[in-house]
């Protein structure tokens, strides 16, 4: 049997903004040296949508750049 190798990691938190409209969160990722893409999908109470896609690079020493 071959080990399971997934190319996509999905994380679906339910986040709410503060009164100024800001949202913050933190997470722990793999220390594997690689390039990841972070995609954020958001909508407001009126169902207006927005998306954001950024590259995240993990290097030695472990450093994350967005």
């Amino acid at each position: 049997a071959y080990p399971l190798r997934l190319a996509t990691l999905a994380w679906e938190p339910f986040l709410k903004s503060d009164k100024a409209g800001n949202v913050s969160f933190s997470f722990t990722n793999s220390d594997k040296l690689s390039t990841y893409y972070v995609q954020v999908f958001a909508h407001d109470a009126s169902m207006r949508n927005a998306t954001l896609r950024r590259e995240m690079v993990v290097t030695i020493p472990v450093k994350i750049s967005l």
Side-chain angles (χ1 to χ4, degrees), residues 19-62:
K19 290 181 181 182
N22 299 310
V23 173
S24 64
F25 61 93
S26 64
F27 62 94
T28 303
N29 69 309
S30 169
D31 59 357
K32 179 181 175 188
L33 305 178
S34 189
T35 300
Y36 300 90
Y37 293 94
V38 177
Q39 295 189 132
V40 178
F41 304 92
H43 65 86
D44 64 10
S46 298
M47 295 306 289
R48 292 177 295 191
N49 298 305
T51 60
L52 174 70
R53 179 181 165 113
R54 292 288 189 264
E55 184 178 274
M56 179 175 75
V57 180
V58 178
T59 60
I60 294 178
V62 177

